[in-house]
Amino acid sequence: MGKRRSTLAWGIWVLMVAWPLSAVGAEPAIRTLRDPLELRALGEPRAVLQELHAALAEANQHNDRHRRALLLLARANACRVIADWDCQRIAGTEVQAIARGLDDPLLEVRGLINEALADVAQRQYSHAGQRLGQAELVLKRQPVDVLYADIQLGFSAMSAASGKHAMAARYAERGLAALGAGQVSPIRARLLRNLAQAQMGLDQWSAARTTLVQARRAVEAVKDPKLEAELALAWARLARTSGLVAQQREEGERVLAIATTLENAQLEAMGREVLGNAAADAGDSVAAAREYARAAALFRQLDLLREEQRLLRQLISVQARSGVPSALREDAFARFLAVDEAVEFADRAQALDEFEAQLKYAQQAKDVARLAHETEVAQHRATALAERNRLIVGLQILTAVVLMLMLGSYRQARQRNRRLREALDTVREREAQTSGLMRVTRGCVLLHDVAGRIILANPAAAEAFGADSVEAMRGQSLQALLPGGVAETVDAYLAKVRSEGTGEGVLGVPVAAGGNRYWQCASSYVEPADATPYIVTQAVEVTLHNLELEALREQGLRDALTGAYNRRELERFEQRHADGASWAVIAFDLDEFKQINDRQGHEFGDAVLKATVRFLADRVRADDVVVRMGGDEFVVLLPHSGAAALERIVERLREDARQAPCSYSMGSALRENGESLVATLARADAAMYIGKRALGMSQRSQTVLIRQP
């Protein structure tokens, strides 16, 4: 469920930029690829899903596979609208199977596109790219411009979702070229919408405005309310960059009207966000806070954590300016930290899952290669043994013949003996090759009895255990070769292998230089029919993998741009200090930082942020912690600090303010009555904004300091 929530926000964007084709304006070659229920799914997805049960049952009863494929495409469309990506992927996969049975390439292409878009929504870009590439190859059998444009729309959506705006624009332009300038269709409108979104991502605002005008004209021709709402959202974004508050309100009201007609809570939340932006730009913090709170509540109902995170950040900012009660600000701040924690955890978990999957794949490939080699060696041994047995039988026959025909068979006996020697040489050569393989393999290989006494080992195992040679290890027990604490785990591991037949695990072995070496072990219990049972153990060193995982965890606590700690450090800081410990917090906000970005550029703004972190770190104590809360907001956490220590640091920051890369406002607070860190942060934040209001916006805008960082 957590992974599904983490991908829903990506799916919402994919749903906007890669909506399926409608029948209006489609070429005759694909009109038979669409059922009326697929068009109804745009506005009534739940009702269509209910009707599909009976329709699919009827198609199955009449064994009408073509009809079933069209109904499955309608299901994929409805599932896309409600953001059920697994449902969409399964429907697309079934359509492909039916299409291959019917030898219908156009149906197969549509199934591949649906599966690819579901993958994009869940950020499985590699698999999505393979499906879209396969769709292009299948479409070459029966080219159709509209389906080709639909594939380019999918590539554009995948590029935009991964932040590659230039590539998204190229795919959109390629799809528009395939359709031609004279054709009017929903896919043309969506390609124009994608192109405008990419142009805005590339800061090409003038070109984006021209493209949006064309897209709105195309939407008027095809009558698609939801697409009209999506274009209104794009216009609102463009209007905000130009400071057009009235147009923002107009586009926001248009989105709300369409959301009410379609009963679409997602569109309503987006419309309220637009109205909140307009109110904030107009200086009406109360109205902005109200709209942001309503939008955040809607996104929370829909489990869209990333969208809720964005709205909560804006809500906290306007609440501080509007003077709402501190309890409400603390609630919003606490919810924001919880949502931020969930989003970061989902991102890191997905990254770790992908890394471990790649490692497992590499290990499996290595095991497959090893097993293939062992099979080849076994086959050679069997062939040599069969040849040897055949020669022995021939020799016995030859001996009998020699007793009867001594002189005549003497020459033949010599020839057969020569062949026997050659066969034995081959067997010895194979055995030498096997022994050589044991010597050069980098993994540890051990053959030991059920009590852990070593029967056979390779040089890699001797090196790992610190033994002088392979021969020195024979007869020794694993427990004697390992430290005491590790030996206890070996006993439990051997008991498991004896009872279950196999066992896997990771063994950590301390080394003299400090730290541990880690080995991934796999063992198998062998019980020959006429010999003593034994255990074969193989081990591969995974120390580097463990170190990389540990480094990845530490990286998750750092802000990638400035090197300061991120919000995850707040929880760790609070856990490190027992109940009743004292602490202090200083909150910072850079004055008019948005103007720095607008006038000097984002690269200069990034340099200012980095220099600000260095400035703060140089003026606080060694054990104080500098945290970037997001954007241009920072806090300094001061452990074990009283009023005097806090006052000294605050005074130093006031005296050195003109040496800072940028003017800033700050507020401070001491922990009171064993309160939580969130409560102290909220009070420091409130003190900072009180200072901003006391100073006055007009005066601060005249005294902003911007220095070369």
Side-chain angles (χ1 to χ4, degrees), residues 306-603:
R306 294 181 187 276
E307 306 300 320
E308 184 187 359
Q309 179 190 40
R310 185 183 69 251
L311 266 296
L312 286 172
R313 182 182 291 112
Q314 298 179 80
L315 175 61
I316 292 170
S317 178
V318 297
Q319 278 183 341
R321 292 195 294 271
S322 60
V324 299
S326 60
L328 293 178
R329 293 201 304 271
E330 290 181 12
D331 290 343
F333 195 82
R335 176 60 186 170
F336 174 78
L337 291 178
V339 172
D340 186 72
E341 173 78 12
V343 170
E344 288 192 14
F345 179 82
D347 289 344
R348 284 211 324 278
Q350 184 174 9
L352 287 174
D353 288 344
E354 291 176 358
F355 179 81
E356 292 179 355
Q358 292 174 358
L359 182 65
K360 186 175 182 181
Y361 175 81
Q363 182 62 41
Q364 289 175 344
K366 181 178 179 181
D367 292 342
V368 168
R370 177 182 54 78
L371 291 174
H373 181 75
E374 290 177 354
T375 301
E376 181 182 1
V377 171
Q379 289 175 347
H380 283 303
R381 285 183 175 178
T383 301
L385 182 59
E387 178 69 11
R388 181 178 180 180
N389 290 337
R390 188 178 68 82
L391 291 174
I392 291 174
V393 172
L395 182 60
Q396 291 174 346
I397 296 174
L398 181 61
T399 302
V401 173
V402 168
L403 293 175
M404 295 182 293
L405 301 170
M406 179 69 71
L407 295 176
S409 61
Y410 178 72
R411 185 176 179 180
Q412 296 179 4
R414 292 186 61 186
Q415 293 175 347
R416 292 185 181 276
N417 284 334
R418 186 179 66 252
R419 293 178 61 186
L420 177 60
R421 286 194 298 273
E422 292 174 354
L424 292 174
D425 290 341
T426 300
V427 172
R428 295 189 187 98
E429 181 181 355
R430 298 304 183 193
E431 291 177 348
Q433 291 174 352
T434 302
S435 176
L437 180 63
M438 286 281 287
R439 287 195 301 272
V440 301
T441 182
R442 298 177 64 183
C444 297
V445 180
L446 291 173
L447 184 71
H448 54 82
D449 62 17
V450 295
R453 286 187 297 274
I454 298 173
I455 302 171
L456 180 66
N458 70 339
E463 187 275 333
F465 282 96
D468 295 334
S469 64
V470 171
E471 291 73 16
M473 294 183 65
R474 291 177 183 158
Q476 296 194 49
S477 67
L478 293 172
Q479 297 86 337
L481 292 171
L482 293 169
V486 180
E488 296 175 1
T489 64
V490 173
D491 291 335
Y493 185 75
L494 292 175
K496 180 178 183 296
V497 175
R498 288 196 299 268
S499 62
E500 299 179 5
T502 60
E504 294 185 359
V506 176
L507 179 66
V509 181
V511 296
N516 293 327
R517 292 178 69 182
Y518 294 92
W519 300 86
Q520 180 73 42
C521 303
S523 298
S524 298
Y525 179 77
V526 182
E527 187 174 3
D530 55 349
T532 303
Y534 60 91
I535 296 174
V536 177
T537 298
Q538 302 177 63
V540 178
E541 186 170 8
V542 293
T543 304
L544 181 59
H545 168 60
N546 284 6
L547 293 175
E548 290 174 345
L549 288 179
E550 186 62 31
L552 188 59
R553 294 189 186 97
E554 178 62 24
Q555 183 181 355
L557 295 172
R558 292 284 182 177
D559 175 54
L561 174 64
T562 64
Y565 284 97
N566 58 29
R567 291 186 191 85
R568 292 186 56 79
E569 176 63 18
L570 300 181
E571 179 180 354
R572 196 171 75 159
F573 177 89
E574 191 166 15
Q575 291 176 351
R576 287 200 305 265
H577 298 84
D579 292 341
S582 62
W583 65 53
V585 174
I586 308 176
F588 295 86
D589 185 83
L590 304 187
D591 295 331
E592 304 299 330
F593 183 72
K594 183 177 184 300
Q595 294 182 11
I596 295 176
N597 278 331
D598 292 343
R599 297 171 182 171
Q600 306 283 345
H602 288 282
E603 292 185 359

Side-chain angles (χ1 to χ4, degrees), residues 136-167:
E136 280 191 315
L137 292 176
V138 174
L139 192 61
K140 290 182 179 180
R141 294 166 51 192
Q142 189 176 340
V144 175
D145 290 343
V146 176
L147 284 182
Y148 177 79
D150 200 5
I151 293 172
Q152 302 312 306
L153 183 63
F155 277 122
S156 176
M158 182 174 67
S159 301
S162 56
K164 300 176 181 178
H165 301 298
M167 188 174 295

Side-chain angles (χ1 to χ4, degrees), residues 94-115:
E94 277 196 63
V95 170
Q96 295 171 50
I98 296 173
R100 294 186 188 106
L102 297 174
D103 193 24
D104 190 331
L106 300 186
L107 273 178
E108 184 178 356
V109 167
R110 293 211 62 209
L112 286 165
I113 292 173
N114 273 283
E115 184 181 2

Side-chain angles (χ1 to χ4, degrees), residues 33-160:
L33 294 181
R34 204 169 305 281
D35 186 272
L37 287 174
E38 185 174 350
L39 302 180
R40 282 185 54 202
L42 292 175
E44 305 172 42
R46 300 287 183 184
V48 167
L49 287 173
Q50 292 180 355
E51 293 183 30
L52 279 172
H53 292 294
L56 285 168
E58 181 181 357
N60 292 337
Q61 183 178 0
H62 293 87
N63 196 26
D64 189 346
R65 291 187 293 169
H66 188 271
R67 165 75 170 159
R68 176 174 175 79
L70 297 183
L71 293 173
L72 287 171
L73 288 172
R75 172 180 286 176
N77 200 16
C79 293
R80 186 202 306 264
V81 174
I82 64 175
D84 189 343
W85 314 120
D86 291 334
C87 167
Q88 181 190 359
R89 179 185 292 106
I90 293 170
T93 303
E94 277 196 63
V95 170
Q96 295 171 50
I98 296 173
R100 294 186 188 106
L102 297 174
D103 193 24
D104 190 331
L106 300 186
L107 273 178
E108 184 178 356
V109 167
R110 293 211 62 209
L112 286 165
I113 292 173
N114 273 283
E115 184 181 2
L117 293 180
D119 289 334
V120 173
Q122 293 184 315
R123 304 176 73 179
Q124 299 176 9
Y125 301 133
S126 177
H127 192 265
Q130 292 174 6
R131 289 295 173 265
L132 290 172
Q134 185 179 351
E136 280 191 315
L137 292 176
V138 174
L139 192 61
K140 290 182 179 180
R141 294 166 51 192
Q142 189 176 340
V144 175
D145 290 343
V146 176
L147 284 182
Y148 177 79
D150 200 5
I151 293 172
Q152 302 312 306
L153 183 63
F155 277 122
S156 176
M158 182 174 67
S159 301

